[in-house]
C-alpha cells in the first residue's frame, strides 16, 4: 500500500474530491466524476483490473439502488406536487413557527415507515408550497435531519438500519435510537422552525379553491406502499435477495411505470435528477474503494466518531465494517451513522435528493451556516442516549 505521510494515497484523492465539492459546488458532479476516475485509475494499478471488477461487482447493487431511488423519487415529487396536495397542507398547519415544527415532525414520522429519501423529498415539496418558494437553507438542513433522525430507530427507515436487521440485529435493539433522535429533533426542529418563521412565515391559501388530482395522489400512495412492501417482503420471505438485486429501486420504478395508465409524469425533470444521482453514486463508489478494512475497537467514542465521519463518508460501508467487527451498541450506532450524514448536504442520500429541488443548498458553507443547529443536535442527541442508556454492546456473530 502506497502512503503519503503515513496515510494511503486513496484518502488524499478522496479528501481532494470533497474539498473540490465544497469549494466548487456549482460543478460538484464534474469534481465527483474526476475524483472517481482518479480513484479507479489508482486502484486498477494497485489491486489490478480483476480486483477492481470484483469489488464493483459486489457494490453495483448499492449504487444501482441509489440511482434508481433518487431519479424515481424526483418523478414521485412531481406527481405529489401536481396533485395539489401540497397546496392544501398549509390549512392544517398551526400559525407561526409551530407550523414549521409540525412540518418537520411529519417528515420525522414518515421516515420511520418510508425510505428517508422519500420523506425528505415530500417534506421539501410541501415546504416549497407552504413558504411560497422562500425556504431557508437552515430549514432544508432540518428537513434532511428530520428524515435521517426518523429513520434511525426503524429497520425499514434507513438503509443502514435495514443492513443491521438483515445481519441479525433485532429491531428492538435498534429502536432506542429514537431517544437520541427525539432529543436532536428538539434542538434542530425548534431552531430551524424559528429561523424559517423569521425568514418567511407560513402563507395560507384558504381563499383558493383547490381541486385535488386523486389519480396522482394515488400514484404517490402506490409508490410508497411499494417501497414498504418490497422491503418487508424481501427481508421476511427472500432474505439475501437485496444483496444481489436492487429491490427497492426496481419496486419504485415498477410502481411509477404502472402509474402511466393513470397520469404521465414530467419526464423533463429526470435528467437533473440523474445528475444528482450520479453525483452521490460517484461519492459512494469512491468511499467504497477506501482502504478502511479495520475500525478502532468498538466503543461509544468510536461510534461518535463514525457519526461525525458519516457527514463526508458514505455510511453504508462504515455500517458494513461495524457489523463485521461486531460488539457495538446497535441503537447508538444507528443514530450516529443515520443522523450524522445530515451535517453536510452530500453526507446522505436524503440531502442530495433535496438539493435536487433546492440547488441553493449545495454550498457547504451556506449549509453549515444555516444548519448550525444540526451538528449541535447530533452532539446533544448522542450524549442524551449515552446518559439515559449507557453503552450497551451486543454481539450478533
Amino acid at each position: 500500500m502506497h502512503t503519503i505521510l503515513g496515510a494511503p494515497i486513496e484518502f488524499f484523492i478522496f479528501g481532494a474530491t470533497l474539498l473540490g465539492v465544497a469549494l466548487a459546488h456549482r460543478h460538484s458532479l464534474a469534481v465527483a466524476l474526476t475524483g472517481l476516475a482518479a480513484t479507479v485509475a489508482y486502484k486498477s494499478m494497485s489491486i489490478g483490473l480483476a480486483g477492481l471488477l470484483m469489488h464493483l461487482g459486489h457494490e453495483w447493487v448499492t449504487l444501482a439502488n441509489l440511482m434508481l431511488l433518487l431519479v424515481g423519487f424526483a418523478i414521485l415529487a412531481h406527481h405529489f406536487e401536481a396533485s395539489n396536495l401540497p397546496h392544501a397542507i398549509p390549512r392544517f398547519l398551526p400559525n407561526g413557527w409551530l407550523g414549521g415544527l409540525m412540518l418537520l415532525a411529519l417528515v420525522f414520522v414518515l421516515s420511520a415507515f418510508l425510505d428517508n429519501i422519500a420523506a425528505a423529498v415530500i417534506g421539501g415539496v410541501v415546504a416549497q408550497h407552504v413558504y411560497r418558494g422562500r425556504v431557508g437553507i437552515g430549514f432544508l438542513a432540518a428537513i434532511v435531519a428530520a428524515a435521517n433522525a426518523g429513520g434511525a430507530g426503524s429497520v425499514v427507515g434507513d438503509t443502514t438500519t435495514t443492513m443491521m436487521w438483515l445481519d441479525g440485529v433485532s429491531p428492538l435493539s435498534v429502536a432506542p435510537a429514537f431517544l437520541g433522535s427525539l432529543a436532536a429533533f428538539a434542538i434542530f426542529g425548534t431552531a430551524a422552525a424559528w429561523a424559517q418563521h423569521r425568514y418567511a412565515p407560513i402563507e395560507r391559501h384558504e381563499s383558493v379553491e383547490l381541486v385535488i388530482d386523486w389519480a396522482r395522489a394515488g400514484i404517490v400512495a402506490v409508490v410508497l406502499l411499494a417501497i414498504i412492501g418490497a422491503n418487508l417482503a424481501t427481508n421476511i420471505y427472500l432474505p439475501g435477495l437485496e444483496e444481489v438485486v436492487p429491490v427497492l429501486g426496481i419496486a419504485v420504478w415498477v410502481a411509477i411505470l404502472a402509474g402511466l395508465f393513470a397520469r404521465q409524469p414530467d419526464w423533463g425533470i429526470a435528467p437533473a435528477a440523474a445528475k444528482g444521482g450520479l453525483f452521490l453514486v460517484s461519492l459512494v463508489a469512491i468511499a467504497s474503494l477506501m482502504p478502511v478494512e479495520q475500525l478502532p475497537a468498538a466503543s461509544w467514542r468510536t461510534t461518535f466518531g463514525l457519526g461525525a465521519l458519516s457527514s463526508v463518508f458514505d455510511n453504508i460501508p462504515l455500517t458494513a465494517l461495524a457489523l463485521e467487527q461486531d460488539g457495538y451498541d446497535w441503537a447508538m450506532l444507528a443514530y450516529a451513522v443515520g443522523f450524522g450524514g445530515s451535517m453536510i448536504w452530500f453526507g446522505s442520500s436524503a440531502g442530495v435528493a433535496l438539493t435536487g429541488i433546492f440547488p441553493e443548498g449545495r454550498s457547504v458553507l451556506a449549509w453549515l451556516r444555516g444548519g448550525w443547529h444540526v451538528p449541535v443536535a447530533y452532539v446533544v442527541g448522542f450524549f442524551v442516549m449515552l446518559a439515559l442508556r449507557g453503552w450497551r454492546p451486543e454481539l450478533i456473530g
Side-chain angles (χ1 to χ4, degrees):
M1 180 185 297
H2 298 89
T3 63
I4 299 177
L5 300 176
I9 290 176
E10 294 95 326
F11 283 111
F12 287 93
I13 299 174
F14 193 32
T17 302
L18 295 177
L19 182 61
V21 170
L23 296 178
H25 58 273
R26 288 189 174 87
H27 306 284
S28 56
L29 176 58
V31 173
L33 289 174
T34 301
L36 177 60
T39 305
V40 167
Y42 176 75
K43 295 297 283 190
S44 64
M45 291 186 292
S46 61
I47 65 175
L49 184 59
L52 181 63
L53 291 175
M54 183 180 299
H55 172 82
L56 294 177
H58 178 71
E59 293 293 327
W60 83 270
V61 174
T62 297
L63 302 179
N65 243 336
L66 284 174
M67 194 69 180
L68 290 170
L69 288 174
L70 286 168
V71 180
F73 286 138
I75 300 295
L76 180 73
H78 169 260
H79 277 305
F80 183 59
E81 185 174 11
S83 73
N84 271 336
L85 283 174
H87 289 286
I89 288 178
R91 302 177 179 182
F92 303 99
L93 294 177
N95 289 321
W97 68 276
L98 285 175
L101 185 64
M102 183 174 288
L103 174 54
L104 294 174
L106 173 65
V107 174
F108 185 105
V109 172
L110 281 176
S111 188
F113 301 97
L114 303 175
D115 186 272
N116 55 356
I117 306 174
V121 167
I122 290 173
V125 172
V126 173
Q128 195 170 42
H129 288 268
V130 165
Y131 297 110
R132 296 288 183 91
R134 298 189 62 207
V135 185
I137 293 178
F139 199 74
L140 296 178
I143 291 174
V144 173
N148 290 332
S154 167
V155 293
V156 296
D158 191 277
T159 302
T160 55
T161 54
T162 301
M163 290 171 61
M164 293 178 193
W165 186 20
L166 295 175
D167 217 53
V169 177
S170 167
L172 295 178
S173 297
V174 174
F178 281 127
L179 292 173
S181 294
L182 290 170
F185 182 84
I187 302 295
F188 75 77
T190 303
W194 268 108
Q196 177 61 37
H197 178 66
R198 291 194 299 269
Y199 176 67
I202 287 177
E203 294 189 24
R204 298 190 175 276
H205 305 63
E206 294 180 357
S207 61
V208 179
E209 183 177 349
L210 293 175
V211 177
I212 305 299
D213 187 337
W214 292 110
R216 291 192 185 276
I219 292 172
V220 172
V222 168
V223 172
L224 297 182
L225 288 173
I227 300 168
I228 298 172
N231 202 345
L232 291 175
T234 303
N235 294 330
I236 295 172
Y237 300 109
L238 297 167
L241 180 64
E242 74 291 333
E243 296 180 8
V244 295
V245 177
V247 175
L248 294 183
I250 291 174
V252 166
W253 276 95
V254 167
I256 289 174
L257 294 176
L260 292 176
F261 293 101
R263 291 288 186 275
Q264 287 283 336
D266 180 7
W267 296 111
I269 64 178
K275 288 182 180 179
L278 187 57
F279 166 78
L280 182 61
V281 164
S282 299
L283 290 187
V284 172
I286 297 173
S288 73
L289 289 165
M290 295 298 104
V292 288
E293 290 79 10
Q294 187 173 359
L295 296 175
S299 68
W300 70 262
R301 294 173 182 83
T302 300
T303 305
F304 181 83
L306 289 177
L309 186 59
S310 292
S311 64
V312 295
F313 195 96
D314 181 58
N315 57 9
I316 294 174
L318 291 178
T319 304
L321 288 172
L323 287 167
E324 182 178 347
Q325 185 179 17
D326 210 349
Y328 278 85
D329 181 327
W330 302 112
M332 195 169 287
L333 182 71
Y335 167 79
V337 298
F339 186 72
S342 313
M343 290 186 272
I344 297 179
W345 71 270
F346 57 79
S348 74
S349 50
V352 173
L354 192 63
T355 54
I357 303 173
F358 300 92
E360 64 272 19
R362 291 177 180 163
S363 166
V364 171
L365 292 179
W367 190 275
L368 291 173
R369 192 184 310 116
W372 61 268
H373 39 75
V374 176
V376 172
Y378 170 72
V379 174
V380 171
F382 186 90
F383 284 103
V384 164
M385 281 193 70
L386 189 62
L388 292 177
R389 299 178 67 252
W391 170 252
R392 299 187 183 183
E394 180 183 344
L395 291 174
I396 56 174

